[in-house]
Amino acid sequence: MEPRAARDGGGSSSPEPGRGKRLSVGELRSLFEARCAAASEQLPEPPKKSCRPRNGVLQPVIPQLTVTPEEDGEEAQRSPAGVPQAEPDGAWLTTDCSRRLSTSSLSSTGSSSLFEDSEDDLLSDTEGRSQGIVHLEHGEETHQKKAWQTIKTIVNLPIISPFKKRYSWVQLAGHTGSFKAADGGTILKRYSENEEKCFELLLNDRLYSCVPVFHGVVERDGESYMQLDDLLANFEGPCVMDCKMGIRTYLEEELTKAREKPKLRKDMYKKMIDVDPLAPTAEENSQRAVTKPRYMQWRETISSSTNLGFRIEGIKKADGTCNTNFKTTKTREQVRQVFVEFMKGDTATLKKYLKRLYEIRTILESSDFFKRHEVIGSSLLFVHDDSGCANVWLIDFGKTTLLPDEQTLDHRIPWQEGNREDGYLLGLDNLIDILESISER
């Protein structure tokens, strides 16, 4: 929401702000409360026992105004009020029950140009990261007292109009701030030239049926975005899992560039010791820093990426709780147990997941796009709900790279630097084996 100047009115004693005059916080609050009170007199008394009349039509309501305080420094990076911040390891977190989780919000931007940022999993509200954002929310008063600080955004409230559905995302992995809401069951993902090329090539490939529908590139707030189907649009209270596929999540060229210009990273050293205090060498401990190649390769070995060809990035349950604490989930049995808990023992959902994975594997093995690309950082997105709906899609192609000189990949043989093998099918084979083992018990 862009800042706008106060409009209308006369002197300081008037409840309407004067043109060009900067109102104090108290005046803004008084003005807002006066307008709400006037509007509420025109509204019928709401039903006492139910929020929804028998005819199914909601009465208009006055949104509750929640102001994100302006802060600086480290405090400004925290999640908005009411949204818990992720622990370093990821821990279970509770989010607002009314929040919608968008498909691609679970994924990274995939752009290799952003790889300088940390690769660790993040959990944040991407719609409320900037300062001074005013959120309109339904609900009863919480009676929580908050400091009224400088309001940089003045909201023109359509008090009588029906409240529009707001989309918010819980991002389980990758770079934050990459998504915006869109209309018609779609979402906007920050533009990546490489990913756009992949979607255009996929339009004419068999794999097209396994990826989000691409609706082109649009402009929003001066930035370019790719418009994609919201894969959760047809689910009610979906449970979602993001599985990062492949034996590595970095391109060979990224490893080469990092070696050419080695840079000690204190942030990556801290992430390393947070997971395993014994992981750094004596020299790394003395420097209290590690290089990016060292961190990238270590990161794959502590999870199931290296030995199984995939790893679990994050899970969002139907009740809104999220878990990204899978950095050291490594063994086949550990992964199996996570899937058992994710599906809650529902054999019907398990069968649908297996059927879809068989279909995806068959399509991948005959896909020209897949044979000719090094698929790095892509995920399989698992989604199901209590109604029995379940599906799996391939998402995130920002690091998917066309191979040179008609080269093709097997996607199953071990990676050795230079052969560009990604181990995608190796991971899919192991994933299917694990789910089959659940159905057999």
Side-chain angles (χ1 to χ4, degrees):
M1 191 177 296
E2 297 180 356
R4 62 175 66 181
R7 300 178 180 177
D8 306 326
S12 60
S13 61
S14 171
E16 296 290 336
R19 182 178 299 276
K21 178 183 175 183
R22 187 185 183 95
L23 299 181
S24 68
V25 174
E27 288 173 327
L28 279 172
R29 184 177 186 180
S30 298
L31 175 60
F32 174 75
E33 292 175 347
R35 286 183 175 178
C36 289
S40 65
E41 295 176 358
Q42 305 174 22
L43 299 177
E45 185 176 350
K48 296 182 179 180
K49 294 185 179 180
S50 173
C51 295
R52 183 178 294 275
R54 292 183 180 180
N55 61 8
V57 179
L58 287 172
Q59 297 294 335
V61 295
I62 302 175
Q64 174 184 325
L65 182 68
T66 305
V67 179
T68 303
E70 177 187 353
E71 302 176 22
D72 55 18
E74 184 176 346
E75 291 296 314
Q77 300 300 319
R78 295 182 301 179
S79 298
V83 182
Q85 182 91 3
E87 297 295 330
D89 289 334
W92 284 96
L93 302 172
T94 303
T95 59
D96 190 326
C97 293
S98 66
R99 299 164 69 86
R100 285 292 301 275
L101 178 68
S102 168
T103 8
S104 299
S105 65
L106 293 170
S107 66
S108 69
T109 62
S111 172
S112 59
S113 64
L114 294 176
F115 195 78
E116 187 66 27
D117 294 338
S118 171
E119 287 287 311
D120 268 12
D121 307 330
L122 300 173
L123 183 67
S124 63
D125 183 349
T126 60
E127 290 294 304
R129 297 291 291 177
S130 59
Q131 301 178 25
I133 291 180
V134 179
H135 300 278
L136 299 177
E137 303 172 340
H138 285 300
E140 300 176 354
E141 286 189 34
T142 59
H143 301 290
Q144 295 178 349
K145 296 183 179 179
K146 296 185 177 180
W148 283 77
Q149 302 186 14
T150 304
I151 300 178
K152 289 188 176 180
T153 305
I154 299 176
V155 184
N156 182 19
L157 292 171
I159 294 178
I160 306 301
S161 65
F163 189 82
K164 294 182 179 180
K165 181 188 292 184
R166 290 178 59 89
Y167 283 85
S168 293
W169 292 280
V170 177
Q171 185 165 336
L172 294 179
H175 306 282
T176 59
S178 302
F179 301 92
K180 287 183 179 291
D183 298 324
T186 64
I187 55 129
L188 301 181
K189 182 177 182 181
R190 183 172 292 164
Y191 178 74
S192 161
E193 181 180 359
N194 191 68
E195 191 162 19
E196 181 194 13
K197 290 179 180 178
C198 288
F199 277 118
E200 289 175 345
L201 290 173
L202 285 165
L203 288 172
N204 300 311
D205 190 89
R206 292 192 63 196
L207 197 52
Y208 178 72
S209 62
C210 303
V211 303
V213 175
F214 175 58
H215 298 279
V217 178
V218 300
E219 297 292 323
R220 176 75 65 88
D221 300 328
E223 292 189 41
S224 296
Y225 292 86
M226 296 174 295
Q227 189 166 8
L228 306 171
D229 269 2
D230 180 356
L231 301 181
L232 303 192
N234 297 322
F235 291 86
E236 292 297 330
C239 297
V240 185
M241 176 189 286
D242 180 321
C243 283
K244 190 73 70 178
M245 301 303 294
I247 55 179
R248 55 190 169 90
T249 57
Y250 52 87
L251 293 166
E252 286 192 0
E253 64 184 46
E254 292 173 332
L255 193 60
T256 301
K257 289 178 181 178
R259 285 172 177 164
E260 290 174 351
K261 296 181 180 180
K263 180 181 177 182
L264 291 176
R265 297 285 297 268
K266 293 184 179 296
D267 59 329
M268 291 182 175
Y269 171 82
K270 185 178 184 305
K271 295 179 193 303
M272 181 182 285
I273 61 174
D274 284 345
V275 175
D276 183 2
L278 301 179
T281 64
E283 181 180 2
E284 289 167 344
N285 281 325
S286 65
Q287 296 171 336
R288 300 192 65 79
V290 297
T291 63
K292 184 188 290 187
R294 159 79 164 126
Y295 177 81
M296 289 191 297
Q297 293 178 312
W298 168 82
R299 175 67 178 85
E300 314 295 20
T301 61
I302 63 171
S303 71
S304 59
S305 290
T306 300
N307 61 314
L308 295 179
F310 74 94
R311 71 172 180 245
I312 299 171
E313 287 284 277
I315 290 175
K316 180 260 181 186
K317 292 185 176 180
D319 62 5
T321 55
C322 302
N323 188 6
T324 58
N325 190 24
F326 301 105
K327 290 183 177 66
T328 57
T329 301
K330 184 174 183 176
T331 68
R332 186 177 295 265
E333 181 58 30
Q334 288 174 328
V335 172
R336 191 195 73 83
Q337 187 58 38
V338 172
F339 268 97
V340 169
E341 294 175 1
F342 174 62
M343 294 180 289
K344 298 180 180 178
D346 186 344
T347 56
T349 296
L350 174 59
K351 289 179 180 178
K352 289 180 180 179
Y353 277 151
L354 277 171
K355 181 180 178 181
R356 177 62 164 168
L357 291 176
Y358 294 147
E359 177 188 8
I360 289 174
R361 182 166 62 181
T362 299
I363 292 175
L364 286 173
E365 290 174 336
S366 61
S367 165
D368 291 332
F369 175 91
F370 189 62
K371 291 176 183 177
R372 296 275 295 111
H373 284 79
E374 178 185 6
V375 184
I376 299 296
S378 181
S379 292
L380 285 179
L381 190 76
F382 292 77
V383 189
H384 69 267
D385 61 21
D386 289 339
S387 71
C389 294
N391 212 334
V392 185
W393 292 272
L394 281 75
I395 60 173
D396 293 342
F397 301 99
K399 286 186 180 181
T400 296
T401 307
L402 180 66
L403 299 168
D405 304 324
E406 300 300 319
Q407 180 184 352
T408 60
L409 296 181
D410 178 76
H411 297 286
R412 282 191 173 98
I413 65 176
W415 172 62
Q416 294 179 348
E417 193 168 346
N419 70 5
R420 304 189 68 163
E421 288 289 346
D422 52 38
Y424 195 106
L425 286 179
L426 171 67
L428 183 54
D429 291 340
N430 282 322
L431 182 51
I432 290 174
D433 287 345
I434 289 172
L435 293 186
E436 286 177 338
S437 72
I438 296 175
S439 65
E440 292 169 359
R441 295 193 181 185

